[in-house]
Short mmCIF file of all heavy atoms in Angstrom, two decimals:
data_model
loop_
_atom_site.label_atom_id
_atom_site.label_comp_id
_atom_site.label_asym_id
_atom_site.label_seq_id
_atom_site.Cartn_x
_atom_site.Cartn_y
_atom_site.Cartn_z
N ASP A 1331 15.98 -6.04 -13.59
CA ASP A 1331 16.37 -7.47 -13.63
C ASP A 1331 17.68 -7.69 -12.88
O ASP A 1331 17.88 -8.75 -12.28
CB ASP A 1331 16.56 -7.95 -15.07
CG ASP A 1331 15.25 -7.99 -15.82
OD1 ASP A 1331 14.20 -7.77 -15.15
OD2 ASP A 1331 15.28 -8.15 -17.06
N ASN A 1332 18.57 -6.74 -12.90
CA ASN A 1332 19.86 -6.94 -12.26
C ASN A 1332 19.96 -6.28 -10.90
O ASN A 1332 21.02 -6.17 -10.32
CB ASN A 1332 20.99 -6.41 -13.14
CG ASN A 1332 21.13 -7.27 -14.39
OD1 ASN A 1332 21.49 -8.43 -14.31
ND2 ASN A 1332 20.80 -6.72 -15.56
N GLY A 1333 18.79 -5.81 -10.39
CA GLY A 1333 18.78 -5.21 -9.06
C GLY A 1333 19.60 -3.94 -8.93
O GLY A 1333 20.18 -3.65 -7.91
N ILE A 1334 19.68 -3.20 -10.05
CA ILE A 1334 20.42 -1.95 -10.01
C ILE A 1334 19.50 -0.79 -9.72
O ILE A 1334 18.43 -0.70 -10.32
CB ILE A 1334 21.11 -1.71 -11.40
CG1 ILE A 1334 22.05 -2.85 -11.71
CG2 ILE A 1334 21.82 -0.36 -11.43
CD1 ILE A 1334 22.53 -2.88 -13.16
N ALA A 1335 19.92 0.03 -8.74
CA ALA A 1335 19.07 1.22 -8.45
C ALA A 1335 19.56 2.33 -9.35
O ALA A 1335 20.77 2.61 -9.40
CB ALA A 1335 19.25 1.59 -7.00
N LEU A 1336 18.63 2.98 -10.07
CA LEU A 1336 18.99 4.12 -10.94
C LEU A 1336 18.40 5.39 -10.40
O LEU A 1336 17.23 5.47 -10.16
CB LEU A 1336 18.47 3.86 -12.37
CG LEU A 1336 18.62 5.04 -13.33
CD1 LEU A 1336 20.07 5.36 -13.58
CD2 LEU A 1336 17.86 4.78 -14.64
N VAL A 1337 19.28 6.39 -10.19
CA VAL A 1337 18.77 7.70 -9.85
C VAL A 1337 19.07 8.59 -11.05
O VAL A 1337 20.21 9.01 -11.25
CB VAL A 1337 19.51 8.25 -8.57
CG1 VAL A 1337 18.96 9.63 -8.19
CG2 VAL A 1337 19.39 7.28 -7.43
N ALA A 1338 18.03 8.86 -11.84
CA ALA A 1338 18.24 9.59 -13.09
C ALA A 1338 17.70 11.00 -12.97
O ALA A 1338 16.68 11.23 -12.35
CB ALA A 1338 17.58 8.84 -14.26
N GLY A 1339 18.39 11.95 -13.59
CA GLY A 1339 17.92 13.34 -13.59
C GLY A 1339 18.33 14.09 -12.35
O GLY A 1339 17.81 15.20 -12.10
N ASP A 1340 19.21 13.52 -11.54
CA ASP A 1340 19.62 14.16 -10.33
C ASP A 1340 21.14 14.02 -10.20
O ASP A 1340 21.61 13.01 -9.64
CB ASP A 1340 18.91 13.53 -9.11
CG ASP A 1340 19.12 14.31 -7.81
OD1 ASP A 1340 19.71 15.44 -7.89
OD2 ASP A 1340 18.72 13.80 -6.75
N PRO A 1341 21.93 14.94 -10.72
CA PRO A 1341 23.38 14.76 -10.74
C PRO A 1341 24.00 14.76 -9.34
O PRO A 1341 23.49 15.44 -8.44
CB PRO A 1341 23.89 15.94 -11.55
CG PRO A 1341 22.80 16.97 -11.46
CD PRO A 1341 21.51 16.20 -11.36
N VAL A 1342 25.08 14.03 -9.23
CA VAL A 1342 25.85 14.05 -8.00
C VAL A 1342 26.55 15.40 -7.91
O VAL A 1342 27.16 15.87 -8.87
CB VAL A 1342 26.90 12.89 -7.98
CG1 VAL A 1342 27.84 13.05 -6.80
CG2 VAL A 1342 26.16 11.57 -7.92
N ALA A 1343 26.44 16.04 -6.72
CA ALA A 1343 27.00 17.38 -6.54
C ALA A 1343 28.29 17.35 -5.75
O ALA A 1343 29.13 18.25 -5.88
CB ALA A 1343 26.00 18.30 -5.88
N ALA A 1344 28.50 16.33 -4.91
CA ALA A 1344 29.72 16.30 -4.13
C ALA A 1344 30.06 14.86 -3.69
O ALA A 1344 29.16 14.02 -3.57
CB ALA A 1344 29.57 17.17 -2.87
N ILE A 1345 31.35 14.66 -3.53
CA ILE A 1345 31.85 13.37 -3.02
C ILE A 1345 32.59 13.66 -1.69
O ILE A 1345 33.38 14.59 -1.68
CB ILE A 1345 32.86 12.73 -3.99
CG1 ILE A 1345 32.24 12.54 -5.37
CG2 ILE A 1345 33.41 11.40 -3.44
CD1 ILE A 1345 33.26 12.15 -6.47
N ASP A 1346 32.25 12.91 -0.65
CA ASP A 1346 33.00 13.04 0.61
C ASP A 1346 33.76 11.75 0.82
O ASP A 1346 33.21 10.71 1.20
CB ASP A 1346 32.02 13.29 1.77
CG ASP A 1346 32.72 13.49 3.08
OD1 ASP A 1346 33.91 13.10 3.18
OD2 ASP A 1346 32.12 14.08 3.99
N ARG A 1347 35.05 11.81 0.54
CA ARG A 1347 35.84 10.56 0.53
C ARG A 1347 36.09 10.06 1.95
O ARG A 1347 36.17 8.85 2.18
CB ARG A 1347 37.19 10.75 -0.18
CG ARG A 1347 36.98 10.94 -1.68
CD ARG A 1347 38.26 10.69 -2.42
NE ARG A 1347 39.20 11.79 -2.21
CZ ARG A 1347 40.47 11.61 -1.79
NH1 ARG A 1347 40.93 10.41 -1.54
NH2 ARG A 1347 41.25 12.66 -1.60
N ALA A 1348 36.15 10.97 2.92
CA ALA A 1348 36.40 10.54 4.30
C ALA A 1348 35.16 9.77 4.80
O ALA A 1348 35.32 8.68 5.39
CB ALA A 1348 36.63 11.75 5.19
N ALA A 1349 34.00 10.31 4.52
CA ALA A 1349 32.76 9.63 5.00
C ALA A 1349 32.28 8.60 4.00
O ALA A 1349 31.34 7.82 4.29
CB ALA A 1349 31.65 10.68 5.19
N ARG A 1350 32.90 8.53 2.81
CA ARG A 1350 32.50 7.63 1.73
C ARG A 1350 31.04 7.83 1.38
O ARG A 1350 30.24 6.84 1.41
CB ARG A 1350 32.75 6.18 2.11
CG ARG A 1350 34.24 5.88 2.24
CD ARG A 1350 34.51 4.45 1.97
NE ARG A 1350 35.98 4.22 1.93
CZ ARG A 1350 36.54 3.07 1.71
NH1 ARG A 1350 35.80 2.01 1.53
NH2 ARG A 1350 37.85 2.95 1.65
N THR A 1351 30.69 9.06 1.11
CA THR A 1351 29.30 9.31 0.67
C THR A 1351 29.32 10.19 -0.59
O THR A 1351 30.29 10.89 -0.86
CB THR A 1351 28.50 10.12 1.73
OG1 THR A 1351 29.17 11.36 1.97
CG2 THR A 1351 28.33 9.34 3.00
N VAL A 1352 28.24 10.09 -1.37
CA VAL A 1352 28.01 11.04 -2.43
C VAL A 1352 26.67 11.71 -2.17
O VAL A 1352 25.77 11.11 -1.60
CB VAL A 1352 27.93 10.36 -3.84
CG1 VAL A 1352 29.30 9.71 -4.15
CG2 VAL A 1352 26.84 9.33 -3.93
N THR A 1353 26.56 12.96 -2.59
CA THR A 1353 25.33 13.72 -2.34
C THR A 1353 24.88 14.34 -3.67
O THR A 1353 25.70 14.87 -4.41
CB THR A 1353 25.58 14.85 -1.32
OG1 THR A 1353 26.21 14.31 -0.20
CG2 THR A 1353 24.25 15.49 -0.93
N THR A 1354 23.59 14.23 -3.95
CA THR A 1354 23.09 14.75 -5.22
C THR A 1354 22.63 16.19 -5.07
O THR A 1354 22.54 16.73 -3.98
CB THR A 1354 21.89 13.94 -5.73
OG1 THR A 1354 20.80 14.14 -4.87
CG2 THR A 1354 22.25 12.45 -5.79
N ARG A 1355 22.30 16.79 -6.23
CA ARG A 1355 21.86 18.17 -6.22
C ARG A 1355 20.58 18.36 -5.36
O ARG A 1355 20.45 19.32 -4.65
CB ARG A 1355 21.60 18.66 -7.67
CG ARG A 1355 21.32 20.12 -7.73
CD ARG A 1355 21.43 20.63 -9.15
NE ARG A 1355 20.48 19.94 -10.03
CZ ARG A 1355 20.53 19.97 -11.37
NH1 ARG A 1355 21.49 20.66 -11.95
NH2 ARG A 1355 19.64 19.35 -12.09
N SER A 1356 19.67 17.35 -5.40
CA SER A 1356 18.44 17.47 -4.66
C SER A 1356 18.66 17.15 -3.16
O SER A 1356 17.73 17.20 -2.39
CB SER A 1356 17.39 16.57 -5.23
OG SER A 1356 17.71 15.22 -4.92
N GLY A 1357 19.88 16.73 -2.80
CA GLY A 1357 20.16 16.49 -1.38
C GLY A 1357 20.19 15.02 -0.97
O GLY A 1357 20.50 14.67 0.16
N LEU A 1358 19.91 14.13 -1.94
CA LEU A 1358 19.92 12.72 -1.68
C LEU A 1358 21.36 12.26 -1.36
O LEU A 1358 22.29 12.67 -2.08
CB LEU A 1358 19.41 11.97 -2.89
CG LEU A 1358 19.11 10.50 -2.82
CD1 LEU A 1358 17.92 10.25 -1.91
CD2 LEU A 1358 18.87 9.98 -4.24
N SER A 1359 21.56 11.47 -0.32
CA SER A 1359 22.93 11.07 0.05
C SER A 1359 23.01 9.58 0.10
O SER A 1359 22.04 8.89 0.44
CB SER A 1359 23.26 11.70 1.39
OG SER A 1359 24.60 11.41 1.70
N GLU A 1360 24.18 9.04 -0.25
CA GLU A 1360 24.30 7.58 -0.38
C GLU A 1360 25.76 7.23 0.02
O GLU A 1360 26.71 7.91 -0.40
CB GLU A 1360 24.03 7.20 -1.84
CG GLU A 1360 23.83 5.77 -2.13
CD GLU A 1360 22.72 5.06 -1.34
OE1 GLU A 1360 21.65 5.69 -1.02
OE2 GLU A 1360 22.94 3.89 -0.99
N THR A 1361 25.93 6.14 0.78
CA THR A 1361 27.28 5.73 1.12
C THR A 1361 27.77 4.71 0.10
O THR A 1361 26.98 4.02 -0.52
CB THR A 1361 27.36 5.11 2.54
OG1 THR A 1361 26.47 4.02 2.55
CG2 THR A 1361 27.03 6.11 3.60
N TYR A 1362 29.09 4.62 -0.04
CA TYR A 1362 29.66 3.65 -0.95
C TYR A 1362 30.79 2.88 -0.28
O TYR A 1362 31.46 3.37 0.63
CB TYR A 1362 30.13 4.29 -2.22
CG TYR A 1362 31.28 5.29 -2.04
CD1 TYR A 1362 32.63 4.85 -1.95
CD2 TYR A 1362 31.04 6.65 -2.03
CE1 TYR A 1362 33.65 5.72 -1.80
CE2 TYR A 1362 32.10 7.56 -1.86
CZ TYR A 1362 33.40 7.10 -1.75
OH TYR A 1362 34.43 7.97 -1.63
N ASP A 1363 31.05 1.66 -0.82
CA ASP A 1363 32.30 0.97 -0.51
C ASP A 1363 33.28 1.19 -1.63
O ASP A 1363 34.45 1.41 -1.43
CB ASP A 1363 32.01 -0.51 -0.32
CG ASP A 1363 31.07 -0.75 0.82
OD1 ASP A 1363 31.39 -0.36 1.98
OD2 ASP A 1363 29.92 -1.26 0.57
N ARG A 1364 32.73 1.11 -2.84
CA ARG A 1364 33.55 1.42 -4.04
C ARG A 1364 32.80 2.45 -4.84
O ARG A 1364 31.56 2.34 -5.03
CB ARG A 1364 33.74 0.17 -4.92
CG ARG A 1364 34.53 -0.90 -4.28
CD ARG A 1364 35.99 -0.51 -4.16
NE ARG A 1364 36.76 -1.69 -3.93
CZ ARG A 1364 37.64 -2.20 -4.79
NH1 ARG A 1364 37.86 -1.57 -5.94
NH2 ARG A 1364 38.30 -3.32 -4.51
N LEU A 1365 33.51 3.47 -5.31
CA LEU A 1365 32.89 4.51 -6.12
C LEU A 1365 33.51 4.46 -7.53
O LEU A 1365 34.71 4.32 -7.68
CB LEU A 1365 33.15 5.89 -5.49
CG LEU A 1365 32.56 7.09 -6.22
CD1 LEU A 1365 31.02 7.02 -6.19
CD2 LEU A 1365 33.00 8.40 -5.59
N LEU A 1366 32.64 4.54 -8.54
CA LEU A 1366 33.12 4.59 -9.92
C LEU A 1366 32.68 5.88 -10.57
O LEU A 1366 31.50 6.19 -10.66
CB LEU A 1366 32.56 3.41 -10.70
CG LEU A 1366 32.86 3.42 -12.22
CD1 LEU A 1366 34.33 3.44 -12.51
CD2 LEU A 1366 32.22 2.17 -12.88
N ILE A 1367 33.66 6.68 -10.98
CA ILE A 1367 33.32 7.95 -11.64
C ILE A 1367 33.40 7.74 -13.15
O ILE A 1367 34.40 7.31 -13.69
CB ILE A 1367 34.31 9.05 -11.22
CG1 ILE A 1367 34.36 9.19 -9.73
CG2 ILE A 1367 33.89 10.40 -11.83
CD1 ILE A 1367 35.34 10.26 -9.21
N ALA A 1368 32.28 8.01 -13.81
CA ALA A 1368 32.20 7.85 -15.29
C ALA A 1368 31.41 8.99 -15.84
O ALA A 1368 30.34 8.85 -16.44
CB ALA A 1368 31.58 6.51 -15.65
N THR A 1369 31.93 10.20 -15.60
CA THR A 1369 31.18 11.42 -15.93
C THR A 1369 31.41 11.90 -17.33
O THR A 1369 30.86 12.95 -17.72
CB THR A 1369 31.54 12.53 -14.91
OG1 THR A 1369 32.97 12.59 -14.78
CG2 THR A 1369 30.92 12.28 -13.55
N GLY A 1370 32.22 11.21 -18.11
CA GLY A 1370 32.36 11.60 -19.54
C GLY A 1370 33.07 12.94 -19.72
O GLY A 1370 34.03 13.24 -19.02
N SER A 1371 32.59 13.67 -20.70
CA SER A 1371 33.24 14.94 -21.04
C SER A 1371 32.22 16.08 -21.04
O SER A 1371 31.05 15.88 -21.17
CB SER A 1371 33.83 14.88 -22.46
OG SER A 1371 34.79 13.92 -22.53
N ASP A 1372 32.80 17.28 -20.89
CA ASP A 1372 31.99 18.51 -21.10
C ASP A 1372 32.35 19.09 -22.44
O ASP A 1372 33.54 19.16 -22.75
CB ASP A 1372 32.29 19.53 -20.01
CG ASP A 1372 31.99 18.96 -18.62
OD1 ASP A 1372 30.96 18.25 -18.48
OD2 ASP A 1372 32.79 19.23 -17.68
N PRO A 1373 31.38 19.54 -23.16
CA PRO A 1373 31.73 20.25 -24.44
C PRO A 1373 32.49 21.49 -24.12
O PRO A 1373 32.22 22.18 -23.13
CB PRO A 1373 30.35 20.58 -25.03
CG PRO A 1373 29.33 19.86 -24.24
CD PRO A 1373 29.94 19.51 -22.90
N PHE A 1374 33.46 21.82 -24.96
CA PHE A 1374 34.22 23.06 -24.77
C PHE A 1374 33.47 24.17 -25.45
O PHE A 1374 33.09 24.07 -26.63
CB PHE A 1374 35.63 22.90 -25.36
CG PHE A 1374 36.47 24.10 -25.14
CD1 PHE A 1374 36.85 24.48 -23.87
CD2 PHE A 1374 36.89 24.88 -26.23
CE1 PHE A 1374 37.63 25.61 -23.66
CE2 PHE A 1374 37.67 26.00 -26.04
CZ PHE A 1374 38.04 26.35 -24.75
N ILE A 1375 33.21 25.25 -24.68
CA ILE A 1375 32.50 26.40 -25.27
C ILE A 1375 33.51 27.51 -25.46
O ILE A 1375 34.12 27.94 -24.45
CB ILE A 1375 31.36 26.86 -24.30
CG1 ILE A 1375 30.36 25.68 -24.03
CG2 ILE A 1375 30.64 28.08 -24.84
CD1 ILE A 1375 29.58 25.25 -25.24
N ILE A 1376 33.69 27.97 -26.66
CA ILE A 1376 34.70 29.02 -26.85
C ILE A 1376 34.25 30.33 -26.22
O ILE A 1376 33.08 30.69 -26.36
CB ILE A 1376 35.12 29.23 -28.34
CG1 ILE A 1376 33.88 29.36 -29.24
CG2 ILE A 1376 35.98 28.09 -28.80
CD1 ILE A 1376 34.25 29.68 -30.66
N PRO A 1377 35.14 30.97 -25.50
CA PRO A 1377 34.75 32.12 -24.72
C PRO A 1377 34.59 33.39 -25.58
O PRO A 1377 35.36 34.32 -25.46
CB PRO A 1377 35.92 32.29 -23.72
CG PRO A 1377 37.09 31.67 -24.44
CD PRO A 1377 36.57 30.63 -25.36
#
Side-chain angles (χ1 to χ4, degrees):
Chain A
D1331 292 352
N1332 291 295
I1334 299 167
L1336 172 65
V1337 182
D1340 190 7
V1342 171
I1345 303 169
D1346 182 341
R1347 290 198 288 127
R1350 295 207 172 179
T1351 59
V1352 298
T1353 310
T1354 68
R1355 188 165 60 194
S1356 73
L1358 190 68
S1359 185
E1360 192 56 36
T1361 56
Y1362 63 81
D1363 298 301
R1364 295 291 196 112
L1365 181 65
L1366 172 59
I1367 305 179
T1369 46
S1371 297
D1372 301 320
F1374 182 66
I1375 302 294
I1376 48 175

